Amino acid sequence: MPKPIQCIGDNVSLTTVTIISPEAANGRNVAALGVVRALASTQKTGVFRPAVCKKETFTRTLLDAANVGETIEQARGVCPKRARRDKNGSRADIVAAYETTVAAIDAEAMVIVGTDHSCVNDPETFAFNADVAADLQSPVFLAVCTINRTPEQVRETIKACTATVEEHGSAVLGVFVTGADEEQIPDLKAFFADADVPTWVLPKVDFEEDDAAAEKAAEAFDRNVPASEVHAALEAPFKAPVTPYAFQYGLLGKAKAARKTIVLPEGTEDRIIAAADYLLERDIVDLIIVGDKEAILARGEELGLNSLGKAKFQAMDDETVLAPMVAKLCELRAKKGMTEEQARKQLTDASYFGTMLVVLGKADGLVSGSVNSTANTVRPALQVIKTKPGASLVSGSFLMCFKDHIAVFADCAINLNPNAEQLADIAIQSAETAAAFGLEPKVGMLSYSTLGSGKGPDVDLVEEATDLVRQKAPDLQVVGSVQFDAAWSPTVAATKAKGNDVAGHVNVFVFPDLCAGNIAYKAVQRSSGAVAIGPVLQGLNKPVNDLSRGATVQDIINTVALTAVEAQR
């Protein structure tokens, strides 16, 4: 089985916690400072502020309590104004900044502190903080203020905030009830003694008015919150979510680690060169862009791109490359009677030309399809790169990045009406892709029938394919035939597939034909907001991946990174 690709949360030795509050006022600061001190007492602890103003001073207070020699710049993500105006773009940059900081400071623990109180009321701020916690694969400590709230109202606020955190993919492992008067503390501790998670009560400390606030906050925290309880709370079971932003940054990080060379045959397409500029600016991959260098650079300048000059450009009429390419193509297609004249004509096709750069070893993989059809991308690969030993076909899967997890959909790109044996091979290939990306594959062979509830030749085909999967890969967890809802939902599976351990937990969805698969992935992508990465072309000797002609720049970036990671196997 291929080595799994890790995401940002795979450093299991790193203790992380995100502290967020619906108010984000001073009570949150008491909790945050106390948690940093508690963790720093036993671990190398760093601090990260995902969205924070450069003029604020509390981050420096946190860094004084931390112990990894971190700079203020390393502790900051993006500006709060930008976070309000561009939440999605900010989340991507926050993940990148956080991972860069963690790698640079070599921390054993990270305390992530959410946005500060603002005079600008953004109703989505708390949800944004919850999203960032999930992106950074961190559990949450809530800080909820008791000022002007009864204990019952505090409890209801905690419930509402916890539901939001869970809805956005993370989990609450502890709660600080802040802002209490000293005489309130005993009653509040008693009120929350039977809470579902550890709940601590902290008194008011005014960081804005009191120059000695840090010392008073530290003393108040130590008096009310034993450090051992903080450590114990963070040892509770926590299944780290994998959001699209975490997964995409994981791809970029893995691609950057090996710096493979990828060919982009469609050098005249604006989206391609915009994606290339992004990748080159960050030194994620080396690129060969097929086309006229001066024309591409001129277009890049018009688009405001600054890093295209880092690419290698390959003109298609360069005889020093074309001559050996023609010879190799004639050799590979000798049984088809390929002549030099025919080879030269064939190589006027940019996709074919780019594929031959991979064959000649000048590149490790290829990405195409933003302009060309899937057939134009796949056909050259099938003819000259060919399938892996033992692979009966090439299939196309998509990595579907949902809010807090990843799934594989296949075949959504290549095989029109696979027979039972082909469908079984698609399932096995897709399971291998899932495993390569860190999933424990659980395969659902999809149909309009769940375990015999419906009859017909289409059901018979899927059931035959399921039997073949079990024969060819006896250790693979598979259920079929199964309807999508019974594959996806444990609740539905409990009714439709009672007693089946795979139904309701499927993460590799194998569609019975291309029509169903292609419609499904696009419907899910556009209606749910899931990020679709791919298609991943499965079964080839070298990675060649196809783009949808509707691909965005981000889609292209993801696919190039994916291809570079595949080339490392």
Side-chain angles (χ1 to χ4, degrees), residues 204-536:
K204 290 184 287 189
V205 177
D206 195 332
F207 272 78
E208 293 184 2
E209 301 296 333
D210 194 336
D211 292 338
E215 291 81 2
K216 291 180 179 179
E219 188 276 331
F221 190 95
D222 292 345
R223 189 172 67 249
N224 291 283
V225 185
S228 60
E229 292 185 10
V230 173
H231 286 279
L234 293 176
E235 291 173 0
F238 172 66
K239 183 178 180 181
V242 182
T243 70
Y245 298 97
F247 186 77
Q248 288 173 69
Y249 190 82
L251 275 181
L252 295 175
K254 287 292 180 181
K256 186 172 184 175
R259 284 290 293 273
K260 296 294 183 180
T261 299
I262 306 300
V263 179
L264 301 176
E266 298 166 325
T268 59
E269 164 60 41
D270 286 354
R271 291 168 295 160
I272 291 288
I273 61 173
D277 185 78
Y278 178 97
L279 292 160
L280 292 164
E281 181 181 356
R282 292 158 178 80
D283 296 321
I284 291 168
V285 292
D286 292 323
L287 295 175
I288 299 175
I289 303 177
V290 176
D292 180 80
K293 178 179 180 178
E294 299 308 319
I296 294 170
L297 289 177
R299 180 55 181 159
E301 188 173 344
E302 291 174 2
L303 295 173
L305 307 178
N306 301 312
S307 298
L308 283 178
K310 292 184 178 182
K312 179 179 179 181
F313 295 87
Q314 183 58 63
M316 293 175 63
D317 59 357
D318 180 353
E319 194 62 29
T320 62
V321 172
L322 190 57
M325 194 178 284
V326 168
K328 186 65 175 178
L329 183 55
C330 288
E331 175 191 332
L332 292 172
R333 303 288 287 164
K335 290 183 179 179
K336 297 293 183 180
M338 176 73 74
T339 65
E340 180 176 334
E341 181 181 357
Q342 290 170 330
R344 285 185 175 275
K345 183 177 180 181
Q346 189 81 74
L347 291 168
T348 60
D349 181 305
S351 291
Y352 224 114
F353 185 92
T355 303
M356 286 302 298
L357 290 173
V358 177
V359 171
L360 292 176
K362 295 183 180 295
D364 302 297
L366 174 143
V367 172
S368 186
S370 67
V371 177
N372 290 286
S373 67
T374 295
N376 282 350
T377 299
V378 175
R379 189 182 301 112
L382 287 173
Q383 290 179 355
V384 295
I385 291 179
K386 304 185 184 300
T387 57
K388 295 178 181 178
S392 65
L393 48 69
V394 172
S395 60
S397 68
F398 279 85
L399 301 172
M400 303 297 293
C401 302
F402 294 95
K403 182 169 56 181
D404 59 0
H405 72 284
I406 308 298
V408 176
F409 282 19
D411 179 348
C412 305
I414 305 295
N415 298 283
L416 288 172
N417 294 293
N419 59 34
E421 186 163 352
Q422 291 171 328
L423 199 58
D425 287 348
I426 290 167
I428 293 168
Q429 287 181 349
S430 302
E432 290 175 348
T433 295
F437 286 91
L439 302 178
E440 180 186 358
K442 296 182 179 181
V443 178
M445 308 294 286
L446 299 176
S447 172
Y448 58 78
S449 168
T450 295
L451 302 180
S453 66
K455 302 297 181 184
D458 293 339
V459 176
D460 294 341
L461 174 70
V462 173
E463 292 182 346
E464 182 184 350
T466 305
D467 290 339
L468 288 170
V469 170
R470 293 191 175 111
Q471 293 171 28
K472 293 182 174 185
D475 294 332
L476 187 59
Q477 298 182 74
V478 61
V479 59
S481 60
V482 64
Q483 292 163 285
F484 190 95
D485 58 351
W488 178 273
S489 167
T491 303
V492 176
T495 301
K496 290 187 173 184
K498 190 174 182 179
N500 189 286
D501 293 336
V502 180
H505 304 284
V506 167
N507 54 17
V508 178
F509 296 84
V510 180
F511 294 87
D513 57 49
L514 181 58
C515 186
N518 193 270
I519 290 171
Y521 104 78
K522 287 181 177 175
V524 170
Q525 177 191 28
R526 299 301 178 185
S527 63
S528 75
V531 175
I533 301 178
V536 181

